Amino acid sequence: MTTLPPENLLRHASSPYLQQHAGNPVHWRPWGEAALAEARSAGKPILLSVGYAACHWCHVMAHESFEDAETAALMNALYVNIKLDREERPDIDALYMNALHMLGEQGGWPLTMFLTPEAEPFWGGTYFPPEPRWGRPSFRQVLSGVAEAFRQDGAKVAQNVAALKGGLAKMAAATPGPLPTAAQLSQVALGLVRATDAEEGGLAGAPKFPNPPIFRFLWQMGFRLQQPACAEVTHLLLRKMSQGGIYDHLGGGYARYSTDAIWLAPHFEKMLYDNAQILELLALAHAAAPDPLYADRAAQTVDWLAREMLAEDGAFAATEDADTEGEEGRFYVWSKPEIDALLPPEDAALFARVYDVTEEGNWEHKTILNRRGHPAPLSPAEEARLDACRATLFAARARRVAPGRDDKVLADWNGLMIAALARAAGVFGRPDWLVLAERAFAAILRHHAAPDGRLHHAWRAGRVTAPGLLEDQAAMARAALALHEATGGAAYLAQAIAWAEATHRHFAAPEGGHFTSADDAGDILVRGLTAADNATPAGNGIQAEVEARLFHLTGEPRWREAAERSIGAFAGHQALAAMPGLLAAADLLTEGAAVVVAGPETHPATQALLATALTHPDPALAVLRASGALPATHPAHGKGMLDGSPAAYVCRHGTCALPVTDPASLAGLLDRPT
């Protein structure tokens, strides 16, 4: 019988989340064939616990249950216990989270799933308390009850397994249809606008998540539909979040979500992917309507990124924790006496008035700094005093015990940040941000590249820790294209094409679209196939954007056909509103423009035309230089300077407008409705 040692094996793992549990008395195993083989050999059910390093409720359940000797003894006796870092294996996490939803349960982390020895789900939940509470059984009761059901009621378990496997297989089936029409895009966009909170921004209700894929789509639709509301709700989201407690007013960066409906009280973890997408939205919004608030928040967020999130070799770490010294938010919150002791009385009074500092506090008798009550700029002199106050408090906060950082490097999240930095560098006039993006790109290329042309997903401490997924190939190809457009570097375009081709080889689904896991993934029950966005954009939406952008950059019909196939695989789905990234890609493919600039790269007029194109707020533009011969398939093939002057051509629907030589004329062409 195959058995692993009767001990906790997580000490061998590189994931910071798994290492957080390495001292538990539970005989944890990392996800992998060895653990799955042990379950099959022993005939024991699997307890699969999924979380991530910055997850507050994961920490709570760990302290209450996984560190408890009595609970651990029960787990060890009844189950093969597997711990999974959802950030390392989002494909595994998504599979079992979907199974939980099919059981009628609300999802979240920690995810607690019970599987057969063949890794088939049959029951699950999320957080379970150590004692019966809030109408929920204790975790020990759950452990005993599920194990008893597995032993005594095999028919019921088999019924659940069959139903869940059938549902998972159905979810992994394509729903083909014709490309979305302009009417469909309009219907979805205006429906999403109606779902927003007209007072506080974001989607209505609590908790409040930024939902960047939704607002990125609405922003793009604002240009296509000539509907001001699409842009207005995006501006409202950014302004409310940027003055709320979800934003770190001392150190920069946005927390994952707000627990309330007013952006005041977050769970305090900061995720690379949220800040990447918000940075891109800030850049787009600032390009359309320059606002000092957007410029400040972008700069402060990139400062946080460079200060706190740089991992080995220039790539970016994954997350910062919510908890320090066992308390959520302890690093971030303040009391009025603390602030009064650090600031001169007049400055303390001004700071308290603007940043909502009171004796009683605004959250659990503490204060989360925010400017919800005073969002408008004060006088320059008062803002300068507030700047000095924040610097003093930031220095004092730096002496506290800092939140933990998960420093594993994820290719897909880095891809999102690299692309955001490339856009923001141009919009905010920060070439140093472009350098930051290029360094991160080079680091991913060095450490994540596989010999067959694919990218691995996760890397830490000198070794790859998780296989590559669709999102990794797509997000990094998108990043490569962003750098190609920003710099003109031909190597970036070549690399994007290579990754897109590798994606087709290893992830393509028979009816179109791409599976989340590769064709050689041997440890997943069902390969996922979805275009639904969550907090991060779906891999299929990103891949369709890459293909559409490659079509505009190269003019090659194969990329148009690839994009049509990627989009068409899901276009028959009834819930298109859940796929804003895919819909944005469809709009880019059919209505987007290629802006072709011809002229010496160093010529001031060439640079001015490029800057106009690269800083335009419509994201459905692809910018390329005609310094070399464009392919014969491109509508701008053979076009060049005009009477010896650098010129720009705007190409839509297979034809190019007359050339223009000054930035104002180019901006006019780009602003014109399609």
Side-chain angles (χ1 to χ4, degrees):
M1 183 172 70
T2 301
T3 55
L4 296 173
E7 58 181 306
N8 187 333
L9 301 181
L10 298 186
R11 70 182 187 277
H12 304 297
S14 63
S15 159
Y17 172 65
L18 299 189
Q19 288 181 352
Q20 287 175 357
H21 295 267
N24 296 165
V26 179
H27 295 166
W28 289 119
R29 284 82 173 86
W31 178 272
E33 180 51 36
L36 299 176
E38 180 185 10
R40 293 192 297 268
S41 179
K44 279 186 174 183
I46 295 168
L47 189 157
L48 175 65
S49 177
V50 185
Y52 57 98
C55 168
H56 170 68
W57 283 102
C58 300
H59 301 331
V60 173
M61 191 167 177
H63 296 320
E64 292 175 342
S65 294
F66 303 148
E67 295 172 7
D68 177 69
E70 181 182 348
T71 303
L74 196 60
M75 295 171 66
N76 296 336
L78 299 176
Y79 299 93
V80 171
N81 300 288
I82 299 179
K83 178 61 77 170
L84 181 78
D85 183 340
R86 70 171 296 262
E87 294 170 357
E88 280 195 333
R89 291 302 303 269
D91 54 339
I92 302 290
D93 171 63
L95 176 76
Y96 293 114
M97 188 66 76
N98 286 336
L100 181 68
H101 291 156
M102 290 178 198
L103 290 166
E105 296 287 334
Q106 183 174 355
W109 296 277
L111 172 63
T112 307
M113 289 300 295
F114 296 91
L115 319 178
T116 70
E118 288 73 36
E120 302 159 321
F122 65 91
W123 198 75
T126 53
Y127 163 80
F128 290 101
E131 305 295 338
R133 192 185 300 160
W134 310 311
R136 297 175 68 85
S138 74
F139 188 48
R140 287 190 294 274
Q141 288 173 325
V142 169
L143 292 171
S144 298
V146 171
E148 180 69 15
F150 180 77
R151 288 194 305 269
Q152 301 295 332
D153 198 353
K156 177 65 174 175
V157 170
Q159 181 181 348
N160 276 18
V161 164
L164 291 174
K165 285 181 70 176
L168 291 170
K170 186 176 180 181
M171 290 181 70
T175 49
L179 291 184
T181 64
Q184 285 178 294
L185 295 179
S186 177
Q187 181 181 16
V188 170
L190 297 181
L192 288 170
V193 168
R194 289 191 293 270
T196 62
D197 183 334
E199 295 296 323
E200 295 294 336
L203 297 184
K208 273 197 185 298
F209 288 81
N211 292 303
I214 290 175
F215 290 91
R216 167 65 174 71
F217 165 69
L218 289 178
W219 182 263
Q220 186 168 323
M221 287 299 97
F223 290 92
R224 212 64 59 237
L225 304 177
Q226 297 300 297
Q227 288 282 352
C230 293
E232 289 166 2
V233 297
T234 307
H235 282 296
L236 182 62
L237 167 81
L238 292 173
R239 289 173 181 145
K240 290 290 187 176
M241 283 200 311
S242 295
Q243 299 290 37
I246 192 174
Y247 182 75
D248 180 358
H249 290 264
L250 299 185
Y254 295 79
R256 190 166 74 93
Y257 71 100
S258 177
T259 61
D260 52 39
I262 58 174
W263 304 112
L264 172 62
H267 279 315
F268 292 85
E269 65 263 35
K270 294 179 187 175
M271 322 299 284
L272 182 66
Y273 63 76
D274 282 319
N275 285 281
Q277 295 175 91
I278 293 169
L279 177 62
E280 184 171 5
L281 280 176
L282 288 168
L284 291 168
H286 188 80
D291 189 326
L293 176 65
Y294 297 158
D296 285 347
R297 295 298 179 262
Q300 292 157 3
T301 296
V302 178
D303 285 348
W304 161 77
L305 179 75
R307 185 183 65 247
E308 305 290 347
M309 299 300 284
L310 277 182
E312 190 174 344
D313 216 13
F316 303 117
T319 67
E320 273 193 327
D321 210 332
D323 298 7
T324 49
E325 301 180 89
E327 291 184 25
E328 182 188 12
R330 181 183 179 93
F331 180 77
Y332 296 100
V333 299
W334 295 85
S335 68
K336 191 172 188 299
E338 286 177 312
I339 291 175
D340 289 344
L342 289 164
L343 301 177
E346 289 187 3
D347 287 347
L350 173 65
F351 191 86
R353 176 170 60 86
V354 174
Y355 283 93
D356 192 23
V357 181
T358 61
E359 293 287 352
E360 61 273 16
N362 56 27
W363 178 76
E364 298 185 1
H365 309 295
K366 298 286 187 179
T367 292
I368 299 172
L369 301 179
N370 72 92
R371 287 190 66 155
R372 295 186 63 254
H374 292 82
L378 306 183
S379 70
E382 288 176 312
E383 288 293 348
R385 287 170 59 196
L386 291 173
D387 285 345
C389 291
R390 287 196 304 273
T392 298
L393 296 182
F394 177 76
R397 193 179 79 173
R399 296 190 289 270
R400 297 176 177 176
V401 176
R405 185 182 76 153
D406 187 331
D407 61 353
K408 68 176 175 288
V409 175
L410 303 176
D412 55 342
W413 295 6
N414 270 262
L416 295 176
M417 182 57 81
I418 291 164
L421 285 167
R423 181 178 292 277
V427 170
F428 294 108
R430 293 294 301 266
D432 54 320
W433 295 0
L434 188 58
V435 173
L436 199 62
E438 291 193 281
R439 283 181 56 206
F441 185 91
I444 298 296
L445 198 56
R446 272 192 298 274
H447 299 305
H448 290 247
D452 63 3
R454 281 183 282 176
L455 285 165
H456 298 298
H457 174 59
W459 182 91
R460 184 176 185 270
R463 64 189 177 102
V464 168
T465 61
L469 304 171
L470 168 63
E471 284 75 10
D472 301 304
Q473 327 305 313
M476 281 301 297
R478 179 176 179 267
L481 292 179
L483 290 175
H484 169 67
E485 294 185 44
T487 69
Y492 290 125
L493 177 60
Q495 185 61 75
I497 290 172
W499 281 331
E501 291 173 342
T503 301
H504 294 163
R505 288 195 301 272
H506 294 284
F507 294 87
E511 295 184 76
H514 299 84
F515 291 112
T516 301
S517 305
D519 51 2
D520 55 0
D523 61 353
I524 188 163
L525 196 65
V526 178
R527 293 168 72 195
L529 181 70
T530 181
D533 296 309
N534 289 300
T536 54
N540 274 294
I542 305 174
Q543 180 67 16
E545 179 188 341
V546 166
E547 292 161 345
R549 195 166 290 278
L550 281 172
F551 169 63
H552 288 301
L553 289 169
T554 68
E556 294 180 22
R558 64 167 175 147
W559 295 118
R560 183 192 66 241
E561 294 160 5
E564 289 173 347
R565 186 170 172 80
S566 291
I567 298 163
F570 306 97
H573 203 288
Q574 292 182 340
L576 284 178
M579 307 174 188
L582 191 82
L583 298 182
D587 173 72
L588 170 63
L589 178 66
T590 59
E591 303 301 326
V595 184
V596 182
V597 179
E601 183 77 19
T602 58
H603 195 292
T606 305
Q607 289 295 309
L609 292 170
L610 284 170
T612 299
L614 289 168
T615 61
H616 194 275
D618 184 355
L621 303 176
V623 181
L624 63 155
R625 285 96 168 146
S627 53
L630 292 176
T633 52
H634 201 282
H637 173 72
K639 298 186 183 300
M641 294 194 295
L642 183 65
D643 298 328
S645 298
Y649 301 81
V650 177
C651 307
R652 298 183 191 268
H653 307 131
T655 60
C656 299
L658 293 174
V660 294
T661 57
D662 66 284
S665 299
L666 176 58
L669 283 176
L670 298 179
D671 289 339
R672 192 173 302 160
T674 58

